[in-house]
């Protein structure tokens, strides 16, 4: 009897799925800028929507991007070792959905106008900022690779409002 009530009082250990869902719900509250990360080169053209983009240091200018190893863009980024981070502005929700869904790669790029800076990765003409990069190191993040990137060229469009993903919805600030 006593043993049974002790067992009843023990806190239930959450399952891996429950911990994952709790973490996903928490991350939904961590607002982040939405970017389209592109690449082109011998490994082919690719692009995906990404919020896991972060500055590392300005000496020298370095940022990181987390890329899902199972995504369609992974083989191209891994082979090209170049990418461009294009930060979206208000009004780019549809572009984010296009690059964040299962649309074939060429249809994704038909939705906007692109040019080039240094690496050959597509630069979104009306992005808030575009950061053209060479991948200099890759760390193992489990399901994702953490790409440490040298920023080799920057293009800025004056004005505009940022597109933020927060609470599983888009917001302009
Ligand atoms: C708002 C948003 C943010 C995303 N952030 C990332 C990210 O940081 N890294 C990543 O690998 N995928 C991210 N994704 C998912 C990719 O965009 C998605 O895997 C891909 O474009 C669709 O899968 P596919 O290219 O394999 O067809 C995000 C998607 C959305 C809609």
């Amino acid at each position: 009897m006593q043993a049974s009530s002790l067992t009843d009082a023990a806190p239930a250990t959450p399952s891996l799925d429950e911990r994952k869902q709790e973490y996903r719900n928490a991350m939904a509250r961590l607002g982040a800028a939405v970017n389209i990360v592109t690449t082109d080169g011998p490994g082919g053209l690719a692009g995906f929507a990404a919020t896991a983009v972060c500055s590392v240091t300005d000496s020298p200018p370095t940022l990181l991007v987390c890329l899902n190893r199972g995504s369609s863009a992974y083989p191209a980024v891994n082979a090209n070792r170049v990418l461009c981070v294009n930060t979206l502005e208000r009004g780019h929700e549809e572009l984010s959905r296009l690059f964040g869904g299962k649309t074939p790669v060429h249809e994704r790029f038909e939705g906007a106008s692109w040019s080039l800076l240094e690496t050959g990765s597509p630069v979104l003409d009306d992005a808030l900022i575009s950061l053209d990069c060479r991948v200099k190191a890759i760390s193992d993040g489990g399901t994702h690779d953490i790409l440490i990137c040298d920023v080799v060229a920057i293009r800025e469009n004056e004005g505009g409002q940022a597109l933020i993903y927060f609470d599983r919805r888009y917001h302009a600030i």
Side-chain angles (χ1 to χ4, degrees):
M1 214 36 208
Q2 203 178 359
S4 149
S5 65
L6 275 176
T7 309
D8 290 348
T13 308
S15 70
L16 196 60
D17 274 354
E18 284 167 336
R19 288 183 56 216
K20 188 170 154 180
Q21 194 52 52
E22 182 187 31
Y23 176 74
R24 291 176 74 111
N25 292 341
M27 286 301 100
R29 309 283 295 169
L30 194 155
V34 186
N35 309 277
I36 301 295
V37 178
T38 63
T39 189
D40 201 3
L45 174 71
F48 62 102
T51 49
V53 172
C54 176
S55 173
V56 176
T57 176
D58 63 358
S59 307
T62 307
L63 58 76
L64 67 78
V65 176
C66 297
L67 170 59
N68 192 325
R69 289 183 177 164
S71 74
S72 66
Y74 181 78
V77 173
N78 207 28
N80 296 336
R81 299 286 166 126
V82 295
L83 57 83
C84 185
V85 173
N86 298 282
T87 304
L88 298 186
E89 70 163 2
R90 168 192 204 121
H92 277 150
E93 288 96 332
E94 202 42 54
L95 202 59
S96 174
R97 283 191 195 97
L98 206 54
F99 279 81
K102 293 288 169 192
T103 314
V105 63
H106 282 96
E107 285 177 37
R108 297 184 191 192
F109 283 90
E110 281 165 11
S113 163
W114 307 88
S115 50
L116 299 176
L117 280 168
E118 284 196 23
T119 71
S121 307
V123 176
L124 177 64
D125 284 338
D126 56 354
L128 272 185
I129 46 166
S130 296
L131 301 136
D132 202 18
C133 301
R134 293 190 195 284
V135 179
K136 72 172 168 192
I138 301 177
S139 289
D140 181 356
T143 57
H144 287 58
D145 271 1
I146 303 157
L147 311 172
I148 313 288
C149 305
D150 268 330
V151 180
V152 296
I154 297 177
R155 193 168 77 186
E156 246 186 284
N157 282 316
E158 292 297 317
Q161 286 189 301
L163 185 66
I164 301 296
Y165 200 63
F166 172 72
D167 224 3
R168 300 189 170 94
R169 285 184 294 119
Y170 293 97
H171 306 262
I173 62 157

